[in-house]
Amino acid sequence: MFKPLDPLLHSELRLAVVSLLISTEEAEFPYIKEQTGATAGNLSVQIDKLSAAGYIEVEKTFKGKKPCTLCHITPVGLKAFEDYVKALKSYLNVKKT
Amino acid sequence: MFKPLDPLLHSELRLAVVSLLISTEEAEFPYIKEQTGATAGNLSVQIDKLSAAGYIEVEKTFKGKKPCTLCHITPVGLKAFEDYVKALKSYLNVKKT
DNA sequence: ATAGACAAGTTTATAATATAAACCAAATTA
DNA sequence: TAATTTGGTTTATATTATAAACTTGTCTAT
């Protein structure tokens, strides 16, 4: 009846991050922060979790002399997102028959 | 960009309960328990929260001599669900333009 | 009649999670 | 060179989800 929802994606901020990365392919920390409205601390933690799960990849580079944390989605993350959306639909198709 | 998600509905079990009640119009506790696979304790707590928010209405009746807890969705709950689905879509429309 | 099992929940304790506050390091500006 | 800003990380706290333990009443079977 109801499919289980991947707890890693069933989180407002992490879902926003993954959604954003799917649409942009790659994004810098400050940009993600701005787009999601998250605090830096919260975002940092959630990015770590997504990264630890292999859903995203984090590359720490430099932009001139400034550090620059670049994130992008992985195939695993994309698949997880697609599965999550599929599972979600089992909760949203509530047509009265 | 990303619309906030009603935390009351952004919970696997509560979303399942509301979804179920929208599709069935009214349901008994044991049936909801069976359909969602939740434990009685967890379900009881979540039903209380939905009820306290006015999203569902709980009627305690009897079926013969057995107590019977009957739940049904309210207009407030239905509206909240619709809003939640709308908000969710801001996370799911990730077409690369 | 009463001990044991069962049904239908509720209460409470615990584990997990989300979140922001506090912190750190390097670079820039005053 | 002191203060401020940028770009984060770590840690402490508050919230939440969840199941275990408990309660109340019914229905057997003895």
Side-chain angles (χ1 to χ4, degrees):
Chain A
M1 176 101 213
F2 296 109
K3 293 180 189 161
L5 297 175
D6 179 347
L8 215 71
L9 290 181
H10 197 63
S11 142
E12 186 159 358
L13 182 49
R14 286 194 302 271
L15 188 63
V17 170
V18 166
S19 175
L20 189 65
L21 291 180
I22 288 175
S23 71
T24 65
E25 193 58 42
E26 116 174 342
E28 295 172 15
F29 189 101
Y31 176 74
I32 302 176
K33 178 169 178 295
E34 179 218 317
Q35 291 294 309
T36 59
T39 59
N42 191 6
L43 184 56
S44 177
V45 169
Q46 306 313 328
I47 281 180
D48 273 1
K49 286 187 188 173
L50 289 170
S51 172
Y55 285 13
I56 69 175
E57 228 160 41
V58 179
E59 215 181 326
K60 275 158 201 296
T61 64
F62 277 85
K63 223 183 173 177
K65 287 178 182 173
K66 296 257 166 177
C68 173
T69 300
L70 208 64
C71 301
H72 59 94
I73 195 86
T74 65
V76 170
L78 185 56
K79 173 68 161 52
F81 181 81
E82 285 165 354
D83 288 349
Y84 174 75
V85 173
K86 254 182 237 168
L88 249 194
K89 285 183 182 165
S90 67
Y91 296 78
L92 308 185
N93 288 334
V94 290
K95 288 229 164 85
K96 295 166 204 174
T97 52
Chain B
M1 176 98 210
F2 296 108
K3 294 179 190 159
L5 298 175
D6 180 347
L8 216 72
L9 289 181
H10 197 65
S11 142
E12 185 159 358
L13 182 48
R14 285 194 302 272
L15 187 63
V17 169
V18 167
S19 173
L20 189 64
L21 291 181
I22 288 175
S23 71
T24 65
E25 193 58 42
E26 117 175 343
E28 296 171 17
F29 189 101
Y31 176 75
I32 302 175
K33 179 170 177 293
E34 179 217 316
Q35 291 295 310
T36 58
T39 60
N42 191 6
L43 184 55
S44 177
V45 169
Q46 306 313 328
I47 280 181
D48 273 1
K49 287 188 189 171
L50 290 170
S51 171
Y55 285 13
I56 69 174
E57 227 160 43
V58 178
E59 215 183 325
K60 273 158 202 296
T61 64
F62 277 84
K63 222 183 175 178
K65 287 177 181 173
K66 295 256 166 179
C68 173
T69 299
L70 210 63
C71 302
H72 58 95
I73 196 88
T74 65
V76 171
L78 185 56
K79 174 69 163 50
F81 181 82
E82 284 165 355
D83 288 349
Y84 174 75
V85 173
K86 254 182 237 167
L88 250 193
K89 283 184 181 163
S90 68
Y91 296 78
L92 307 185
N93 288 334
V94 290
K95 289 230 162 84
K96 295 166 206 176
T97 52

